[in-house]
Amino acid sequence: MVVEIKNRWIGHSVMLVQAILIAVCLSVVCYNVSSLPSDILDGQWKWLYGCGIWFTMGMVIYIILFPKAIKQYFAVTTSWIFILYGFMEAVWGIRQVYGFTYSNHSLYALTGSFYNPGPYSGYLAMIFPVCLHEWLKRKESKKTIPYYMAVAGMLLILCVLPAGMSRSAWIAAAVSSIYVCGIHYKMEIQHYIRHHRKQAVSFAIVTFILGGIALGGIYQMKKDSADGRLFMWKIAAHAVSEHPWAGCGWNSVPAAYGQAQEDYFATGDYTATEELVAGAPEYVFNEYLQVAIAWGVPVLCFGLLIMGGSMYIGHKQGIYGLCGALLSLMVFAFSSYPLQFPAFVSALVILVLACGIRVLPLEKGWFRLLFTILLLVGSYGCFYNYPQKSKAVSACKQWTKSRMFYQSGAYRQAVECYAEIQKEMVGNARFMFEYGHALHKLHEPELSNRVLKEALKVSGDPMILNVIGKNEQEMKHYASAEQWFMRAVHRLPGRIYPYYLLANLYAEPEFYRRDKLERMVRTVLGKEPKVQSTAIKQMRQKAQELLKKVPEN
C-alpha cells in the first residue's frame, strides 16, 4: 500500500520524521559514555547498533507507505543534517581552542567530540563540500536562511580545519572542494578554455607545479610520519598477499600486520629509515588495505563498486554536495582510519543511501519488497551485535575501574577482576596484554602465556612477544625464550629492549653464550633509540654489568 502525499503539511511532517531518523543515525558522532575513556568506542558502537535498529525499522515503514517521499526528500534532508552536525562540531572545536570546554586527549587541545584531531578534522573535511555546494547554488539568488546557514558552517569549518594539523583532511577537503567548484563553474571553465587556450594551458601548468610544491611541503612538514605511513602501506600489502581472498577478520588485522612486518625484517633486507619509522600500529592508515587484510580483495572490490556506483548515480542526479562528501571520505580513508569510528561508518551508510536512492524503482512492489528484505537483513546485524556490545560496554566499565589495581602494582587484585570479564574482553588487545602481564608479574608463566597468545591473535605489539619470552625463560625453556625474543627483535628491530632481554638470557648460567652475549651488549650500547630515557640508561648500565658475570660450573 502506497500513501499519496497531497497535503503540504503532511509532506512536511513526513520530511521532518525522515530528518529525525537520519539525525538519530548520525548522532553517534556526539555520543559518549562518561564512565569510559574517550578512546574506548564500545559505547559508541552500542549506540550505533541501537540507532541502526530504529533507522532500518523507520525506513521499512517509509518505503512501504511513502516511497516517492523518500526519493524526493532523502538527499536534501541528509545535506542539512550533515551541515547541522558540522556546525556543532566546529563550534565544539572552537570552544576547545579557547579553553571553554575540555579536550578528549591530554596531548591535543583540539579534538571535537573525537579523542584525536585526525578523525575530527576528517569529519569536518567530509562536511565542508556539502556546505560549499549549498552556498554556491544560492549565492546568486536571494539570500535566505539556508544561504546563511551554509556560509556559517563553511566559515566555521575553515576556522578549525587548519588547526587540526591533519594533512589527510586538508587533501580530502581540497579534492572534494575542487570537484564541487568544478561542477558549479563547469560552463565558465569550458568557455574560458575554448577562448583562451594558451592562458588555460599556462594556468594548468602553474597549478600543477604549485600543487606539487604544496604536496612536497605537506610531506616535509611531518616527514617521519609520512615515511611511516608509506612503510605501513608496504607491509600491509605483504599482509594482503597472505590472505588475498578470505582475509583474516577485522579484529585480527593488527596481528596480521605485525606478522607481516616480522617476516619482512627477518629477511634483513631493509633500510635504516624503515627501521626508524617502523612501529606496532593498531591500524594500517589506509582503509582500503585494512578491508583487504580483514575480508579479502573481493570484498574490497565490491565495496569500491558500491561507493563508486553511488557517487556516479549521485553525480548524474545533481547531488553534488553529498557526492563531494563521499569523495572527501574516500580520499581521507586512503591515508587515515575513519572506519574505526562509528561516526564515519554511519555517515558512509547514509551517504551511499542518499546518493543512490533516487534511481531505485521504489514505486514497484517487487523492488520495495526486495529493498525491505535488505534493510531487515541489516537490522538483524544490528540486533545481533547490540547485546554483544552491551556486554562489552559493561565489561569495559569494570575494566576501567579495576585498572587502578594494575597501574598501582596490585596485580593479584587486578587478575581477580580481569578474570571475571575475560570472556567479554577477548578481542581487546590492551586488556589481554594487561591481564597476561599481571599474571607474569605474579609468576604464573603458563597461564600468562595462554592469555598472551590469545592477545597475539588481535595485536601486533612486540611487548607481548617479550613477555612470553620472559615467561619461557622463567620456566627454564631457554631455547623457546630465545625464539620469542628474536621474534620481538624482527618485529621491531629499532627497539633496544628485546636485545637487552636476549643479553640477560645469554647470561643465564644454564644457557651461557659468551659470543652472543657480547654481541647483544654491543647492540644495547650502540643502537640509537628514538627517544632517550632513564630506562635506556638503566638497561645499558645493567648490560655492561652482565659481561662481568662468570657462569657457575
Short mmCIF file of all heavy atoms in Angstrom, two decimals, residues 471-527:
data_model
loop_
_atom_site.label_atom_id
_atom_site.label_comp_id
_atom_site.label_asym_id
_atom_site.label_seq_id
_atom_site.Cartn_x
_atom_site.Cartn_y
_atom_site.Cartn_z
N ASN A 471 58.43 -15.33 30.21
CA ASN A 471 57.75 -16.46 30.87
C ASN A 471 58.46 -17.77 30.55
O ASN A 471 58.65 -18.63 31.43
CB ASN A 471 56.30 -16.54 30.43
CG ASN A 471 55.43 -15.46 31.06
OD1 ASN A 471 55.69 -15.01 32.17
ND2 ASN A 471 54.40 -15.04 30.35
N GLU A 472 58.85 -17.94 29.30
CA GLU A 472 59.57 -19.16 28.91
C GLU A 472 60.91 -19.24 29.64
O GLU A 472 61.34 -20.32 30.07
CB GLU A 472 59.79 -19.16 27.39
CG GLU A 472 58.52 -19.30 26.57
CD GLU A 472 57.87 -20.67 26.73
OE1 GLU A 472 58.59 -21.68 26.78
OE2 GLU A 472 56.64 -20.72 26.83
N GLN A 473 61.59 -18.11 29.78
CA GLN A 473 62.86 -18.08 30.49
C GLN A 473 62.66 -18.45 31.96
O GLN A 473 63.47 -19.18 32.56
CB GLN A 473 63.48 -16.69 30.39
CG GLN A 473 64.86 -16.58 31.01
CD GLN A 473 65.49 -15.23 30.78
OE1 GLN A 473 65.03 -14.44 29.96
NE2 GLN A 473 66.58 -14.95 31.50
N GLU A 474 61.56 -17.96 32.54
CA GLU A 474 61.27 -18.28 33.94
C GLU A 474 61.02 -19.77 34.12
O GLU A 474 61.37 -20.35 35.16
CB GLU A 474 60.05 -17.48 34.41
CG GLU A 474 59.72 -17.66 35.87
CD GLU A 474 58.55 -16.79 36.32
OE1 GLU A 474 58.18 -15.86 35.58
OE2 GLU A 474 57.99 -17.05 37.41
N MET A 475 60.43 -20.40 33.10
CA MET A 475 60.18 -21.85 33.17
C MET A 475 61.39 -22.66 32.71
O MET A 475 61.31 -23.88 32.54
CB MET A 475 58.96 -22.20 32.30
CG MET A 475 57.66 -21.65 32.83
SD MET A 475 56.20 -22.20 31.91
CE MET A 475 56.39 -21.31 30.36
N LYS A 476 62.51 -21.94 32.45
CA LYS A 476 63.78 -22.55 32.03
C LYS A 476 63.69 -23.21 30.65
O LYS A 476 64.46 -24.13 30.35
CB LYS A 476 64.29 -23.54 33.08
CG LYS A 476 64.52 -22.92 34.46
CD LYS A 476 65.17 -23.88 35.42
CE LYS A 476 65.32 -23.25 36.79
NZ LYS A 476 66.10 -22.00 36.79
N HIS A 477 62.76 -22.71 29.84
CA HIS A 477 62.68 -23.14 28.44
C HIS A 477 63.50 -22.15 27.61
O HIS A 477 62.97 -21.30 26.90
CB HIS A 477 61.24 -23.19 27.96
CG HIS A 477 60.36 -24.09 28.77
ND1 HIS A 477 58.98 -23.98 28.79
CD2 HIS A 477 60.65 -25.13 29.59
CE1 HIS A 477 58.48 -24.90 29.59
NE2 HIS A 477 59.47 -25.62 30.08
N TYR A 478 64.82 -22.25 27.71
CA TYR A 478 65.70 -21.20 27.20
C TYR A 478 65.68 -21.10 25.67
O TYR A 478 65.69 -20.00 25.12
CB TYR A 478 67.12 -21.42 27.70
CG TYR A 478 67.23 -21.36 29.20
CD1 TYR A 478 67.68 -22.47 29.93
CD2 TYR A 478 66.88 -20.22 29.90
CE1 TYR A 478 67.77 -22.44 31.31
CE2 TYR A 478 66.97 -20.17 31.29
CZ TYR A 478 67.41 -21.28 31.98
OH TYR A 478 67.50 -21.24 33.37
N ALA A 479 65.66 -22.22 25.00
CA ALA A 479 65.64 -22.19 23.53
C ALA A 479 64.35 -21.54 23.03
O ALA A 479 64.36 -20.73 22.08
CB ALA A 479 65.78 -23.59 22.97
N SER A 480 63.24 -21.88 23.67
CA SER A 480 61.96 -21.26 23.30
C SER A 480 61.97 -19.77 23.59
O SER A 480 61.49 -18.96 22.79
CB SER A 480 60.81 -21.94 24.05
OG SER A 480 59.58 -21.31 23.77
N ALA A 481 62.53 -19.39 24.76
CA ALA A 481 62.61 -17.97 25.11
C ALA A 481 63.42 -17.20 24.06
O ALA A 481 63.05 -16.09 23.66
CB ALA A 481 63.25 -17.82 26.48
N GLU A 482 64.52 -17.81 23.59
CA GLU A 482 65.34 -17.16 22.57
C GLU A 482 64.53 -16.92 21.29
O GLU A 482 64.63 -15.85 20.66
CB GLU A 482 66.57 -18.02 22.27
CG GLU A 482 67.51 -17.39 21.25
CD GLU A 482 68.68 -18.29 20.91
OE1 GLU A 482 68.52 -19.54 21.04
OE2 GLU A 482 69.73 -17.77 20.51
N GLN A 483 63.72 -17.88 20.91
CA GLN A 483 62.91 -17.73 19.70
C GLN A 483 61.91 -16.57 19.85
O GLN A 483 61.73 -15.77 18.92
CB GLN A 483 62.16 -19.03 19.41
CG GLN A 483 63.07 -20.17 18.99
CD GLN A 483 62.30 -21.47 18.76
OE1 GLN A 483 61.09 -21.55 19.01
NE2 GLN A 483 63.00 -22.50 18.31
N TRP A 484 61.27 -16.48 21.02
CA TRP A 484 60.30 -15.40 21.22
C TRP A 484 60.98 -14.03 21.23
O TRP A 484 60.47 -13.07 20.66
CB TRP A 484 59.53 -15.62 22.52
CG TRP A 484 58.52 -16.72 22.43
CD1 TRP A 484 58.63 -17.98 22.94
CD2 TRP A 484 57.26 -16.67 21.77
NE1 TRP A 484 57.51 -18.73 22.65
CE2 TRP A 484 56.64 -17.93 21.93
CE3 TRP A 484 56.58 -15.69 21.05
CZ2 TRP A 484 55.38 -18.24 21.41
CZ3 TRP A 484 55.32 -15.98 20.54
CH2 TRP A 484 54.74 -17.23 20.71
N PHE A 485 62.15 -13.94 21.87
CA PHE A 485 62.88 -12.67 21.88
C PHE A 485 63.34 -12.29 20.48
O PHE A 485 63.31 -11.11 20.10
CB PHE A 485 64.08 -12.75 22.82
CG PHE A 485 63.73 -12.85 24.27
CD1 PHE A 485 64.52 -13.57 25.16
CD2 PHE A 485 62.60 -12.22 24.77
CE1 PHE A 485 64.20 -13.67 26.51
CE2 PHE A 485 62.25 -12.31 26.13
CZ PHE A 485 63.05 -13.03 26.98
N MET A 486 63.76 -13.27 19.70
CA MET A 486 64.20 -12.99 18.33
C MET A 486 63.03 -12.53 17.48
O MET A 486 63.18 -11.68 16.59
CB MET A 486 64.87 -14.22 17.72
CG MET A 486 66.25 -14.53 18.27
SD MET A 486 67.41 -13.13 18.13
CE MET A 486 67.42 -12.87 16.34
N ARG A 487 61.85 -13.09 17.74
CA ARG A 487 60.66 -12.61 17.03
C ARG A 487 60.39 -11.14 17.35
O ARG A 487 60.03 -10.36 16.47
CB ARG A 487 59.45 -13.46 17.41
CG ARG A 487 59.42 -14.85 16.80
CD ARG A 487 58.05 -15.50 17.02
NE ARG A 487 56.99 -14.72 16.40
CZ ARG A 487 55.68 -15.00 16.51
NH1 ARG A 487 55.30 -16.03 17.24
NH2 ARG A 487 54.79 -14.24 15.92
N ALA A 488 60.58 -10.77 18.62
CA ALA A 488 60.39 -9.37 19.01
C ALA A 488 61.43 -8.48 18.33
O ALA A 488 61.12 -7.36 17.90
CB ALA A 488 60.48 -9.23 20.52
N VAL A 489 62.66 -8.98 18.22
CA VAL A 489 63.71 -8.22 17.51
C VAL A 489 63.33 -8.01 16.06
O VAL A 489 63.45 -6.91 15.52
CB VAL A 489 65.07 -8.96 17.62
CG1 VAL A 489 66.07 -8.38 16.63
CG2 VAL A 489 65.61 -8.87 19.03
N HIS A 490 62.86 -9.04 15.41
CA HIS A 490 62.49 -8.94 13.99
C HIS A 490 61.25 -8.08 13.78
O HIS A 490 61.13 -7.40 12.75
CB HIS A 490 62.27 -10.34 13.41
CG HIS A 490 63.51 -11.15 13.32
ND1 HIS A 490 63.52 -12.52 13.48
CD2 HIS A 490 64.81 -10.79 13.14
CE1 HIS A 490 64.75 -12.97 13.36
NE2 HIS A 490 65.55 -11.94 13.15
N ARG A 491 60.34 -8.11 14.74
CA ARG A 491 59.11 -7.33 14.58
C ARG A 491 59.41 -5.84 14.65
O ARG A 491 58.84 -5.06 13.87
CB ARG A 491 58.08 -7.73 15.62
CG ARG A 491 56.72 -7.08 15.39
CD ARG A 491 55.61 -7.82 16.08
NE ARG A 491 55.40 -9.16 15.52
CZ ARG A 491 54.31 -9.91 15.75
NH1 ARG A 491 53.34 -9.45 16.52
NH2 ARG A 491 54.20 -11.11 15.21
N LEU A 492 60.28 -5.43 15.56
CA LEU A 492 60.68 -4.03 15.67
C LEU A 492 62.17 -3.97 15.98
O LEU A 492 62.57 -3.85 17.13
CB LEU A 492 59.89 -3.31 16.77
CG LEU A 492 58.59 -2.61 16.36
CD1 LEU A 492 57.97 -1.90 17.55
CD2 LEU A 492 58.83 -1.62 15.24
N PRO A 493 63.02 -4.04 14.96
CA PRO A 493 64.47 -4.07 15.20
C PRO A 493 65.03 -2.78 15.78
O PRO A 493 66.16 -2.76 16.25
CB PRO A 493 65.05 -4.34 13.80
CG PRO A 493 63.99 -3.91 12.85
CD PRO A 493 62.69 -4.17 13.53
N GLY A 494 64.25 -1.72 15.76
CA GLY A 494 64.72 -0.45 16.31
C GLY A 494 64.60 -0.36 17.82
O GLY A 494 65.14 0.58 18.44
N ARG A 495 63.88 -1.29 18.46
CA ARG A 495 63.70 -1.26 19.91
C ARG A 495 64.91 -1.92 20.60
O ARG A 495 65.38 -2.98 20.17
CB ARG A 495 62.42 -2.01 20.29
CG ARG A 495 61.15 -1.37 19.76
CD ARG A 495 60.60 -0.35 20.73
NE ARG A 495 59.39 0.29 20.18
CZ ARG A 495 58.16 -0.15 20.43
NH1 ARG A 495 57.99 -1.23 21.18
NH2 ARG A 495 57.11 0.48 19.92
N ILE A 496 65.37 -1.33 21.66
CA ILE A 496 66.54 -1.83 22.39
C ILE A 496 66.16 -2.94 23.36
O ILE A 496 66.95 -3.87 23.63
CB ILE A 496 67.25 -0.68 23.13
CG1 ILE A 496 67.85 0.29 22.10
CG2 ILE A 496 68.34 -1.19 24.06
CD1 ILE A 496 68.50 1.50 22.71
N TYR A 497 64.94 -2.91 23.88
CA TYR A 497 64.54 -3.81 24.97
C TYR A 497 64.71 -5.29 24.64
O TYR A 497 65.26 -6.04 25.47
CB TYR A 497 63.11 -3.50 25.38
CG TYR A 497 62.63 -4.24 26.59
CD1 TYR A 497 63.35 -4.20 27.79
CD2 TYR A 497 61.46 -5.00 26.56
CE1 TYR A 497 62.91 -4.88 28.92
CE2 TYR A 497 61.02 -5.68 27.70
CZ TYR A 497 61.75 -5.62 28.86
OH TYR A 497 61.32 -6.30 29.98
N PRO A 498 64.28 -5.80 23.47
CA PRO A 498 64.46 -7.24 23.22
C PRO A 498 65.93 -7.66 23.14
O PRO A 498 66.27 -8.79 23.52
CB PRO A 498 63.74 -7.47 21.89
CG PRO A 498 63.62 -6.13 21.27
CD PRO A 498 63.51 -5.16 22.39
N TYR A 499 66.82 -6.76 22.69
CA TYR A 499 68.25 -7.08 22.69
C TYR A 499 68.75 -7.21 24.13
O TYR A 499 69.58 -8.08 24.45
CB TYR A 499 69.04 -5.98 21.97
CG TYR A 499 68.70 -5.83 20.51
CD1 TYR A 499 67.88 -4.81 20.06
CD2 TYR A 499 69.22 -6.72 19.56
CE1 TYR A 499 67.58 -4.66 18.72
CE2 TYR A 499 68.93 -6.58 18.20
CZ TYR A 499 68.09 -5.55 17.80
OH TYR A 499 67.78 -5.40 16.48
N TYR A 500 68.26 -6.36 24.98
CA TYR A 500 68.62 -6.42 26.40
C TYR A 500 68.11 -7.73 27.03
O TYR A 500 68.83 -8.36 27.81
CB TYR A 500 68.02 -5.21 27.13
CG TYR A 500 68.11 -5.28 28.62
CD1 TYR A 500 69.33 -5.09 29.28
CD2 TYR A 500 66.98 -5.53 29.39
CE1 TYR A 500 69.41 -5.16 30.68
CE2 TYR A 500 67.04 -5.60 30.78
CZ TYR A 500 68.27 -5.41 31.41
OH TYR A 500 68.35 -5.49 32.78
N LEU A 501 66.89 -8.13 26.68
CA LEU A 501 66.36 -9.39 27.20
C LEU A 501 67.18 -10.57 26.70
O LEU A 501 67.42 -11.54 27.45
CB LEU A 501 64.90 -9.54 26.78
CG LEU A 501 63.90 -8.55 27.40
CD1 LEU A 501 62.51 -8.79 26.84
CD2 LEU A 501 63.89 -8.68 28.92
N LEU A 502 67.64 -10.51 25.45
CA LEU A 502 68.49 -11.58 24.93
C LEU A 502 69.83 -11.63 25.66
O LEU A 502 70.36 -12.71 25.95
CB LEU A 502 68.71 -11.39 23.43
CG LEU A 502 67.57 -11.85 22.52
CD1 LEU A 502 67.75 -11.30 21.11
CD2 LEU A 502 67.48 -13.38 22.50
N ALA A 503 70.36 -10.46 25.98
CA ALA A 503 71.62 -10.41 26.73
C ALA A 503 71.44 -11.08 28.10
O ALA A 503 72.31 -11.86 28.54
CB ALA A 503 72.07 -8.96 26.89
N ASN A 504 70.32 -10.79 28.76
CA ASN A 504 70.03 -11.44 30.04
C ASN A 504 69.88 -12.95 29.89
O ASN A 504 70.31 -13.72 30.75
CB ASN A 504 68.75 -10.86 30.64
CG ASN A 504 68.98 -9.58 31.42
OD1 ASN A 504 69.50 -9.61 32.54
ND2 ASN A 504 68.63 -8.46 30.82
N LEU A 505 69.26 -13.36 28.79
CA LEU A 505 69.07 -14.79 28.54
C LEU A 505 70.41 -15.48 28.35
O LEU A 505 70.66 -16.56 28.92
CB LEU A 505 68.18 -14.99 27.31
CG LEU A 505 67.95 -16.44 26.88
CD1 LEU A 505 67.12 -17.19 27.92
CD2 LEU A 505 67.24 -16.49 25.52
N TYR A 506 71.32 -14.88 27.55
CA TYR A 506 72.61 -15.50 27.27
C TYR A 506 73.52 -15.46 28.50
O TYR A 506 74.53 -16.17 28.54
CB TYR A 506 73.29 -14.81 26.09
CG TYR A 506 72.53 -14.96 24.80
CD1 TYR A 506 72.36 -13.88 23.93
CD2 TYR A 506 71.97 -16.19 24.44
CE1 TYR A 506 71.66 -14.01 22.75
CE2 TYR A 506 71.26 -16.34 23.25
CZ TYR A 506 71.11 -15.23 22.40
OH TYR A 506 70.40 -15.37 21.22
N ALA A 507 73.17 -14.63 29.49
CA ALA A 507 73.95 -14.58 30.73
C ALA A 507 73.49 -15.63 31.74
O ALA A 507 74.13 -15.79 32.78
CB ALA A 507 73.86 -13.18 31.35
N GLU A 508 72.40 -16.33 31.45
CA GLU A 508 71.92 -17.38 32.34
C GLU A 508 72.98 -18.49 32.42
O GLU A 508 73.47 -18.96 31.38
CB GLU A 508 70.61 -17.98 31.81
CG GLU A 508 69.41 -17.09 32.01
CD GLU A 508 68.81 -17.22 33.41
OE1 GLU A 508 69.34 -18.04 34.20
OE2 GLU A 508 67.85 -16.49 33.70
N PRO A 509 73.34 -18.92 33.61
CA PRO A 509 74.37 -19.96 33.74
C PRO A 509 74.05 -21.23 32.96
O PRO A 509 74.96 -21.86 32.41
CB PRO A 509 74.40 -20.23 35.25
CG PRO A 509 73.89 -18.96 35.87
CD PRO A 509 72.88 -18.43 34.91
N GLU A 510 72.78 -21.61 32.88
CA GLU A 510 72.41 -22.85 32.19
C GLU A 510 72.29 -22.65 30.68
O GLU A 510 72.08 -23.62 29.95
CB GLU A 510 71.08 -23.37 32.75
CG GLU A 510 71.15 -23.70 34.24
CD GLU A 510 69.78 -24.07 34.80
OE1 GLU A 510 68.92 -24.50 34.00
OE2 GLU A 510 69.57 -23.94 36.02
N PHE A 511 72.39 -21.39 30.22
CA PHE A 511 72.27 -21.12 28.78
C PHE A 511 73.33 -20.10 28.36
O PHE A 511 73.11 -19.27 27.49
CB PHE A 511 70.86 -20.59 28.49
CG PHE A 511 70.45 -20.66 27.04
CD1 PHE A 511 70.25 -21.87 26.41
CD2 PHE A 511 70.27 -19.49 26.30
CE1 PHE A 511 69.88 -21.92 25.07
CE2 PHE A 511 69.88 -19.53 24.97
CZ PHE A 511 69.69 -20.75 24.35
N TYR A 512 74.48 -20.15 28.99
CA TYR A 512 75.51 -19.13 28.78
C TYR A 512 76.08 -19.22 27.37
O TYR A 512 76.52 -20.27 26.93
CB TYR A 512 76.62 -19.29 29.81
CG TYR A 512 77.61 -18.15 29.81
CD1 TYR A 512 77.28 -16.92 30.35
CD2 TYR A 512 78.88 -18.33 29.25
CE1 TYR A 512 78.18 -15.88 30.35
CE2 TYR A 512 79.79 -17.30 29.25
CZ TYR A 512 79.44 -16.07 29.80
OH TYR A 512 80.33 -15.03 29.79
N ARG A 513 76.06 -18.07 26.67
CA ARG A 513 76.62 -17.96 25.32
C ARG A 513 77.45 -16.69 25.27
O ARG A 513 76.91 -15.60 25.07
CB ARG A 513 75.51 -17.92 24.26
CG ARG A 513 74.53 -19.09 24.27
CD ARG A 513 75.17 -20.35 23.73
NE ARG A 513 74.18 -21.41 23.55
CZ ARG A 513 73.80 -22.24 24.51
NH1 ARG A 513 74.30 -22.12 25.73
NH2 ARG A 513 72.92 -23.19 24.27
N ARG A 514 78.76 -16.81 25.47
CA ARG A 514 79.61 -15.63 25.60
C ARG A 514 79.61 -14.78 24.35
O ARG A 514 79.49 -13.54 24.42
CB ARG A 514 81.04 -16.07 25.92
CG ARG A 514 82.02 -14.92 26.09
CD ARG A 514 81.79 -14.21 27.39
NE ARG A 514 82.65 -13.01 27.51
CZ ARG A 514 82.72 -12.26 28.61
NH1 ARG A 514 82.01 -12.58 29.67
NH2 ARG A 514 83.51 -11.20 28.65
N ASP A 515 79.72 -15.41 23.17
CA ASP A 515 79.78 -14.64 21.93
C ASP A 515 78.47 -13.89 21.67
O ASP A 515 78.47 -12.70 21.31
CB ASP A 515 80.13 -15.55 20.75
CG ASP A 515 79.16 -16.73 20.64
OD1 ASP A 515 78.53 -17.10 21.66
OD2 ASP A 515 79.02 -17.28 19.51
N LYS A 516 77.35 -14.58 21.88
CA LYS A 516 76.04 -13.93 21.67
C LYS A 516 75.80 -12.84 22.72
O LYS A 516 75.23 -11.78 22.41
CB LYS A 516 74.92 -14.96 21.72
CG LYS A 516 74.93 -15.93 20.54
CD LYS A 516 73.74 -16.88 20.62
CE LYS A 516 73.71 -17.82 19.42
NZ LYS A 516 72.53 -18.73 19.46
N LEU A 517 76.24 -13.10 23.94
CA LEU A 517 76.08 -12.11 24.99
C LEU A 517 76.83 -10.83 24.64
O LEU A 517 76.28 -9.72 24.76
CB LEU A 517 76.59 -12.67 26.32
CG LEU A 517 76.67 -11.70 27.50
CD1 LEU A 517 75.30 -11.12 27.82
CD2 LEU A 517 77.25 -12.40 28.74
N GLU A 518 78.07 -10.96 24.19
CA GLU A 518 78.86 -9.78 23.83
C GLU A 518 78.21 -9.02 22.67
O GLU A 518 78.17 -7.79 22.66
CB GLU A 518 80.28 -10.21 23.46
CG GLU A 518 81.10 -10.72 24.64
CD GLU A 518 82.48 -11.19 24.24
OE1 GLU A 518 82.71 -11.34 23.02
OE2 GLU A 518 83.31 -11.42 25.13
N ARG A 519 77.67 -9.79 21.71
CA ARG A 519 77.04 -9.14 20.55
C ARG A 519 75.78 -8.38 20.99
O ARG A 519 75.54 -7.25 20.55
CB ARG A 519 76.69 -10.18 19.49
CG ARG A 519 76.21 -9.57 18.18
CD ARG A 519 76.23 -10.56 17.04
NE ARG A 519 75.29 -11.66 17.23
CZ ARG A 519 75.64 -12.92 17.47
NH1 ARG A 519 76.92 -13.24 17.59
NH2 ARG A 519 74.72 -13.86 17.61
N MET A 520 74.99 -8.95 21.86
CA MET A 520 73.78 -8.27 22.33
C MET A 520 74.13 -7.04 23.17
O MET A 520 73.47 -6.00 23.06
CB MET A 520 72.92 -9.22 23.16
CG MET A 520 72.23 -10.31 22.36
SD MET A 520 71.18 -9.67 21.04
CE MET A 520 72.03 -10.33 19.60
N VAL A 521 75.15 -7.14 24.01
CA VAL A 521 75.56 -6.00 24.82
C VAL A 521 76.04 -4.86 23.92
O VAL A 521 75.71 -3.68 24.16
CB VAL A 521 76.64 -6.41 25.83
CG1 VAL A 521 77.23 -5.17 26.52
CG2 VAL A 521 76.07 -7.35 26.87
N ARG A 522 76.82 -5.18 22.90
CA ARG A 522 77.26 -4.14 21.97
C ARG A 522 76.08 -3.48 21.28
O ARG A 522 76.07 -2.26 21.05
CB ARG A 522 78.21 -4.74 20.92
CG ARG A 522 79.60 -5.05 21.43
CD ARG A 522 80.58 -5.24 20.29
NE ARG A 522 80.17 -6.32 19.39
CZ ARG A 522 80.55 -7.60 19.54
NH1 ARG A 522 81.33 -7.94 20.56
NH2 ARG A 522 80.14 -8.54 18.69
N THR A 523 75.08 -4.27 20.96
CA THR A 523 73.89 -3.71 20.32
C THR A 523 73.15 -2.78 21.27
O THR A 523 72.73 -1.69 20.89
CB THR A 523 72.94 -4.85 19.86
OG1 THR A 523 73.64 -5.72 18.98
CG2 THR A 523 71.73 -4.26 19.13
N VAL A 524 73.00 -3.21 22.52
CA VAL A 524 72.31 -2.37 23.50
C VAL A 524 73.06 -1.05 23.71
O VAL A 524 72.45 0.02 23.82
CB VAL A 524 72.16 -3.13 24.85
CG1 VAL A 524 71.65 -2.19 25.94
CG2 VAL A 524 71.22 -4.30 24.69
N LEU A 525 74.38 -1.12 23.73
CA LEU A 525 75.18 0.08 23.98
C LEU A 525 75.27 0.97 22.74
O LEU A 525 75.37 2.20 22.85
CB LEU A 525 76.60 -0.31 24.43
CG LEU A 525 76.70 -1.08 25.76
CD1 LEU A 525 78.14 -1.46 26.05
CD2 LEU A 525 76.13 -0.25 26.90
N GLY A 526 75.24 0.36 21.55
CA GLY A 526 75.48 1.14 20.34
C GLY A 526 74.25 1.58 19.58
O GLY A 526 74.30 2.57 18.83
N LYS A 527 73.12 0.90 19.76
CA LYS A 527 71.92 1.25 18.99
C LYS A 527 71.34 2.55 19.50
O LYS A 527 71.18 2.75 20.71
CB LYS A 527 70.88 0.13 19.07
CG LYS A 527 69.66 0.39 18.20
CD LYS A 527 68.75 -0.81 18.17
CE LYS A 527 69.30 -1.88 17.26
NZ LYS A 527 69.24 -1.49 15.84
#
